[in-house]
Every structure is written in C-alpha cells, then in structure tokens.
Amino acid sequence: MKQIVILASGSGSNAENIISYFKENPLAKVSAVFTNKKTAKVLERCDRLEVPAFYFNKTAFTNSDSVVQLLKSLSPDIIVLAGFLWKVPSNIIAAFPNQIINIHPALLPKYGGKGMYGAKVHQAVKENAETETGITIHYVNEHYDEGAIIFQAKTSVEPSDDANTIAEKVHQLEYEHFPKVIAKLLL
Ligand code: GAR
C-alpha cells in the first residue's frame, strides 16, 4: 500500500476529504499529517479520523533537517500540500524529487505567488471581474506556485458570486478532483 503524507496549515477540509477517500481505496493511505500551526483545525480532524499528526515550527522546517528526517522515516510515496502556506525549503524538495504536489485555488499562472492563498485569491478573482476560475494541482519547486502543472479544472464566476460563493465552488472542485489526481499519480 502506498503512503501519503499531507501538509496543511488551516482548516484541513481537503486533508479530511483525501483521508476519507483513501480509507475506501486500498491503493494508498494517509499515514500522517504535518502542520505548522498548533491551533489548526486539521489537528481536530486528525484526532477524529485517527491519523497521526505532527506539528513543527519555522526553525525545524527551514533551518534544520528534522522535518526531512521525520518525513523520510515515513517513506511517503507522495507528499501532498493541502492548504499549506509556507514555502517548502530546498532540502525537502531535493529529498523528494517530483513527489511533492500542491493544490492552488485558481487557474495558475493567474492569482499565484507569495501572499496569494485562500480567500485572498477569491477576492482578487472577484475584484477583477473574472468570468471563470478553478483549481490547479502542480508539482512543488522552490518558487511559490510555479512547478509543472499536473491538472486544472474550471468553474464559472457569475456576477452574483462573491468571494465566499467562489470559495465554495472552488472547494467543490477540490473535493471532486484532488483525491483522484493523487490516486492517478500513485498508480
Ligand atoms: C484550499 O482551497 C487550497 O486550495 C488553498 O487553501 C484552501 C485550504 O482549505 N491553498 C492555497 O491557497 C495555497 N496557496 P482547507 O484547509 O479546507 O483544505
């Protein structure tokens, strides 16, 4: 069975969706969730779903090998960033070449880069009166949101939409596609 490790910084609804999907799919399982936020709701979800969770601080992540060593000890086949907001340092990228993927809540290369995450993305989409938005699943490299694109899906943005309804539409796309894309990459 393949091993998935998830990194998440916040609510973790995508993490939960991926954990649940692979509870029903013998191809893989989520063996651990890592977070950089002690109060992240994803930790409550991991408790309920009985998935081990690890917290690390910025020093452990960016100025030491401790996170890399912990990740290596789990032998993940894929590392999935699901609402993870820190830039991944080069020692982790080098240790897992082409094995780290991220989901971004917009159609990259639009609305990517430092500071573009979550609600900020949807507000910018609304302010620019875009008629469509979507999700991008991509490999992670040393630059925010710039790795090779694996998958995109679109949804319409209506004049009546606000940042909240755009977020809901994008989350639906994420729930539908992210686990399936992970499964395909693991085959
Ligand atoms: C998701 O929409 C994800 O695409 C986005 O954060 C949200 C996390 O929601 N990620 C980024 O903006 C990364 N730049 P969740 O915690 O409920 O899964």
Side-chain angles (χ1 to χ4, degrees):
M1 190 185 260
K2 305 271 171 109
Q3 307 291 323
I4 301 166
V5 170
I6 295 177
L7 271 62
S9 300
S11 164
S13 69
N14 275 286
E16 175 158 2
N17 183 52
I18 295 164
I19 291 165
S20 302
Y21 180 91
F22 286 102
K23 282 194 174 186
E24 305 296 323
N25 183 332
L27 172 68
K29 72 172 217 183
V30 176
S31 45
V33 172
F34 283 48
T35 186
N36 61 318
K37 203 168 162 206
K38 269 185 196 159
T39 56
K41 191 172 164 196
V42 71
L43 291 171
E44 290 167 31
R45 296 184 196 266
C46 288
D47 268 346
R48 177 165 42 79
L49 297 162
E50 300 184 329
V51 173
F54 299 93
Y55 162 78
F56 53 79
N57 67 16
K58 193 128 201 166
T59 305
F61 194 57
T62 55
N63 289 333
S64 83
D65 269 341
S66 55
V67 174
V68 151
Q69 294 310 335
L70 193 51
L71 283 169
K72 277 189 181 163
S73 73
L74 295 166
S75 303
D77 296 282
I78 194 164
I79 297 173
V80 174
L81 274 50
F84 183 70
L85 301 184
W86 284 354
K87 193 151 92 170
V88 179
S90 50
N91 64 332
I92 296 182
I93 291 169
F96 298 97
N98 283 324
Q99 283 178 289
I100 311 177
I101 67 168
N102 177 47
I103 191 158
H104 187 77
L107 296 169
L108 291 174
K110 283 183 156 186
Y111 304 105
K114 193 168 162 51
M116 270 294 176
Y117 58 86
K120 292 187 186 188
V121 174
H122 309 309
Q123 278 153 13
V125 165
K126 174 69 187 169
E127 277 161 22
N128 289 332
E130 297 282 358
T131 56
E132 61 177 22
T133 186
I135 61 169
T136 303
I137 298 168
H138 64 93
Y139 287 105
V140 171
N141 67 14
E142 274 96 349
H143 307 284
Y144 274 111
D145 304 325
E146 284 184 16
I149 291 174
I150 300 163
F151 176 88
Q152 291 188 304
K154 290 179 183 177
T155 183
S156 67
V157 179
E158 308 299 333
S160 57
D161 277 321
D162 60 20
N164 288 330
T165 60
I166 295 170
E168 276 169 31
K169 287 179 173 181
V170 167
H171 262 124
Q172 286 313 313
L173 284 182
E174 294 183 330
Y175 301 151
E176 185 188 344
H177 295 289
F178 203 11
K180 291 181 194 156
V181 170
I182 295 165
K184 260 195 186 162
L185 290 170
L186 288 171
L187 278 175

